[in-house]
Amino acid sequence: MKLGFATDVESVLSAVPKQRRTGLFSATLTTELQRLMKAGMRNPVHVCVRLKRGRPEEKGKAPAKALKDRKKGPEAIKDGKVEEKEQEEQEEEEKEPRSAVSHELPTRLSNYYVQLPATERLGFLRHFLQAQEVRNGKTIVFFLTCATVDYFHVLLRELIDKRLKKPKAIRIEKLHGQMEPTARCRAYEKFCKSPAEDGAVLLATDVAARGIDVDAVKWIVQMDPPTDPAAFVHRIGRTARAGQSGRAVVALMPHEDGYLPFLEKRGIQIEPLPPELCISEELGGPTLKRCQRLVETDRAVMLKSTKAFLSFVRAYQEHQLPFLFCFKDLDLGALATGHCLLRLPRIKEILGKQVRGFKQSQVDPSSVPFRNKTQEKLRKEALAKQREEREQNWEAEKKAQLAKAKEAAKEAAKAEKERTRTQKRQAKRSDRAELWSSLAAEERLAKKLRKGRISGAQFESRLKKINGKGDDEEASEDEDSEDAEDGGKVDARYAVQRKKRKRGKSKKG
């Protein structure tokens, strides 16, 4: 029903014969299921099987007596408690829009929430799983991506399984869709067969949200809210099954507080986590430091941390509720710190953005070795091979560049020799034209000098300019300075010549 097959089921029911008996089974009871019962069935009977909450002295009785059936319709069981809705509630339900979805949750299920920054998520999970109240039963922890499950599985194995000195240590298993089928079945069997008092923990994605039934699951922890809001009910449905009690907690970041009223509108009552299970800031810092040292000393863990960060950032953008889980409000610096990254990866989601609150490690990521000696040996061999190939390629490129330069010089010399007769004639003509133009300019300058229009210094500077023996800027500067110095002398000569001419004209007259 949640996968969008409601219309297909209705079309199938309309095609089958009307005289039939139809059995419709579902693990979750929603309003959509009730609408389908009214639309595709005649005289439907609602049967719900639950465990009867017996008294302590009735625990030794047969389990058959502890069951009771509930039916709605004309064939209601007389000896059972029949829960019939009033006519007004049914009318209100019919008037509700199709988009409104409500869920029927187990009565003995308690839902909690806790708001944590990204830097305290790992410390909270470690402290929570080590609490005595949580270790009394099994726990399923849900993450958003497969890479995140792999990364936190390595960290929690190091923080919890290998640190406990008690003989009965918490066994942490993982389960996601990218595992091999044999490994997936093996992890599931270990989790199912482990005693409840051992406090087994299963880290999983939404692949474990449906279709599994494990006894003694006391806690459901959602470190990341699901991208599909309908998966929230399926996740918490792994506990409090068959009349047992169970608890579920969801971890939200500070900007995700709008998710709480959304759940309440869907009929999911949620309250804050008890203080004794919450983590203090003093416990979050040492956990991050220990994980940081692990990332700085094991290359396999370092690669998993980067992969988990990338997958989480990209999956966060695929939320079906972007108005509640806004990517722009996501604190990437705190998220990178919470994943113990050494450097921020260069991805398009981060490029061009100012990431605050992240301090890169002093350890160079390229120098981090594998803890596994076989992997480290293979890595060193690959690095040596790449270094040799790089040197060989550099020498080959250098030889190729030299050969290319020599070939270009040969081609230029060959092109010079292979000029046509027309090109040679044009070159001679251009040389002659330039020579005659320079001679004509020199003749003009000589005439100006003889007539006294320019000085000797000006003649020399302009002659150098014509012949190209000096820079244009120096010649122009010399001309300006000489004009300023000799300007007065030239004006005086012209004044004397004018007076002589006037005297000659007066004597003739």
Side-chain angles (χ1 to χ4, degrees):
M1 300 298 296
K2 290 299 179 183
L3 297 179
F5 293 104
T7 56
D8 297 334
V9 174
E10 291 178 358
S11 61
V12 171
L13 291 178
S14 62
V16 297
K18 294 184 178 180
Q19 297 294 333
R20 67 180 188 276
R21 288 184 179 179
T22 304
L24 185 61
F25 303 92
S26 177
T28 56
L29 304 177
T30 63
T31 54
E32 293 183 0
L33 182 62
Q34 295 178 0
R35 293 193 186 97
L36 182 62
M37 291 168 56
K38 295 178 181 179
M41 300 180 181
R42 294 190 301 175
N43 300 325
V45 178
H46 184 195
V47 181
C48 182
V49 180
R50 294 182 179 178
L51 283 176
K52 184 178 180 181
R53 301 176 189 174
R55 298 177 182 176
E57 59 271 10
E58 297 178 357
K59 290 184 179 180
K61 295 183 179 181
K65 296 182 180 179
L67 295 175
K68 68 173 183 178
D69 294 344
R70 286 198 306 154
K71 295 186 179 182
K72 292 183 180 181
E75 299 180 0
I77 300 177
K78 296 181 180 180
D79 55 351
K81 295 183 180 179
V82 181
E83 299 181 2
E84 296 181 354
K85 293 186 177 180
E86 299 179 356
Q87 188 68 21
E88 296 180 357
E89 295 180 357
Q90 293 181 356
E91 292 177 358
E92 291 179 358
E93 184 181 347
E94 293 175 357
K95 293 179 181 179
E96 286 182 356
R98 284 187 177 267
S99 60
V101 179
S102 61
H103 302 277
E104 292 187 12
L105 301 179
T107 56
R108 303 190 66 181
L109 174 63
S110 302
N111 287 306
Y112 303 100
Y113 73 91
V114 58
Q115 283 188 316
L116 297 168
T119 55
E120 298 180 7
R121 286 157 53 87
L122 183 58
F124 162 77
L125 185 59
R126 176 197 174 194
H127 172 73
F128 183 84
L129 295 179
Q130 288 180 333
Q132 187 62 35
E133 184 178 354
V134 179
R135 293 185 58 188
N136 291 332
K138 300 179 182 179
T139 304
I140 300 179
V141 184
F142 285 98
F143 291 94
L144 199 58
T145 63
C146 301
T148 312
V149 170
D150 290 334
Y151 177 54
F152 279 88
H153 177 257
V154 173
L155 294 183
L156 293 176
R157 276 282 182 93
E158 184 71 21
L159 294 173
I160 298 178
D161 281 359
K162 294 183 180 180
R163 297 286 176 176
L164 289 178
K165 298 181 180 180
K166 296 181 180 181
K168 293 185 178 180
I170 299 178
R171 297 304 303 166
I172 299 177
E173 301 293 339
K174 64 177 181 178
L175 182 67
H176 58 77
Q178 294 183 359
M179 296 173 60
E180 295 293 333
T182 54
R184 198 185 312 170
C185 295
R186 193 184 308 116
Y188 180 70
E189 289 178 359
K190 283 183 180 179
F191 182 70
C192 292
K193 295 179 180 179
S194 62
E197 56 272 12
D198 288 352
V201 179
L202 179 67
L203 310 183
T205 57
D206 285 338
V207 72
R210 304 187 186 191
I212 67 171
D213 186 8
V214 183
D215 294 334
V217 176
K218 299 297 182 181
W219 279 94
I220 298 294
V221 183
Q222 302 188 58
M223 295 303 297
D224 305 318
T227 54
D228 184 6
F232 185 91
V233 178
H234 296 287
R235 285 181 173 184
I236 63 178
R238 300 310 97 196
T239 185
R241 301 177 69 85
Q244 297 180 358
S245 61
R247 297 182 180 182
V249 58
V250 57
L252 301 175
M253 286 187 246
H255 68 280
E256 298 173 350
D257 52 354
Y259 194 54
L260 300 176
F262 173 80
L263 294 176
E264 292 179 357
K265 288 184 179 180
R266 291 201 163 199
I268 302 174
Q269 300 297 327
I270 193 166
E271 56 186 2
L273 188 67
E276 60 271 12
L277 295 176
C278 295
I279 183 176
S280 62
E281 297 181 359
E282 298 177 356
L283 297 176
T287 303
L288 280 182
K289 290 181 180 179
R290 185 177 296 176
C291 295
Q292 188 79 18
R293 287 196 298 268
L294 179 62
V295 173
E296 293 175 351
T297 55
D298 192 353
R299 191 173 189 83
V301 183
M302 184 192 72
L303 297 177
K304 288 181 182 294
S305 67
T306 305
K307 188 176 180 181
F309 177 80
L310 294 177
S311 65
F312 180 86
V313 169
R314 288 167 180 166
Y316 200 87
Q317 295 178 320
E318 303 298 328
H319 264 290
Q320 296 184 11
L321 303 174
F323 53 91
L324 297 179
F325 302 93
C326 185
F327 181 74
K328 294 181 180 180
D329 298 335
L330 184 62
D331 191 352
L332 295 174
L335 186 65
T337 304
H339 281 75
C340 303
L341 298 186
L342 303 184
R343 299 288 189 276
L344 280 176
R346 295 180 61 84
I347 55 176
K348 62 181 181 180
E349 290 84 359
I350 297 180
L351 291 178
K353 294 184 179 181
Q354 187 177 5
V355 179
R356 299 178 180 178
F358 175 74
K359 184 179 180 181
Q360 64 181 13
S361 175
Q362 298 179 356
V363 179
D364 186 8
S366 60
S367 63
V368 178
F370 282 103
R371 182 177 292 183
N372 190 344
K373 295 182 179 180
T374 304
Q375 290 182 336
E376 181 61 18
K377 183 179 179 180
L378 294 176
R379 185 181 78 91
K380 289 182 178 179
E381 292 177 356
L383 289 176
K385 187 176 180 181
Q386 291 178 1
R387 195 180 302 109
E388 292 177 359
E389 292 178 354
R390 197 182 302 112
E391 292 177 356
Q392 293 176 0
N393 294 336
W394 182 77
E395 293 178 357
E397 288 178 0
K398 190 175 181 180
K399 292 180 180 179
Q401 290 178 358
L402 291 175
K404 190 175 181 181
K406 291 181 180 179
E407 188 69 23
K410 289 181 180 179
E411 291 179 357
K414 187 177 180 181
E416 182 67 21
K417 292 180 180 179
E418 293 179 354
R419 285 194 306 174
T420 61
R421 296 177 64 184
T422 304
Q423 292 175 348
K424 293 179 181 179
R425 288 174 184 173
Q426 289 178 355
K428 290 181 180 180
R429 288 171 186 169
S430 61
D431 293 341
R432 289 196 197 102
E434 291 178 0
L435 181 60
W436 280 110
S437 62
S438 61
L439 291 174
E442 289 178 5
E443 184 65 23
R444 288 193 296 270
L445 287 175
K447 287 182 181 180
K448 290 181 180 180
L449 181 62
R450 287 195 298 268
K451 292 180 179 181
R453 295 181 181 178
I454 59 175
S455 62
Q458 289 177 341
F459 177 77
E460 292 292 336
S461 64
R462 294 183 182 183
L463 188 62
K464 289 180 181 179
K465 184 178 180 180
I466 291 171
N467 295 330
K469 295 181 181 180
D471 295 333
D472 296 340
E473 296 179 357
E474 294 178 359
S476 61
E477 291 176 0
D478 294 341
E479 289 177 2
D480 295 339
S481 60
E482 291 169 359
D483 290 340
E485 293 176 357
D486 300 337
K489 297 179 181 180
V490 175
D491 293 340
R493 289 177 185 175
Y494 281 117
V496 172
Q497 290 177 0
R498 288 194 194 102
K499 288 180 181 180
K500 288 181 180 179
R501 289 171 187 170
K502 287 181 181 180
R503 288 175 185 176
K505 288 181 182 180
S506 61
K507 287 180 182 180
K508 289 180 181 180

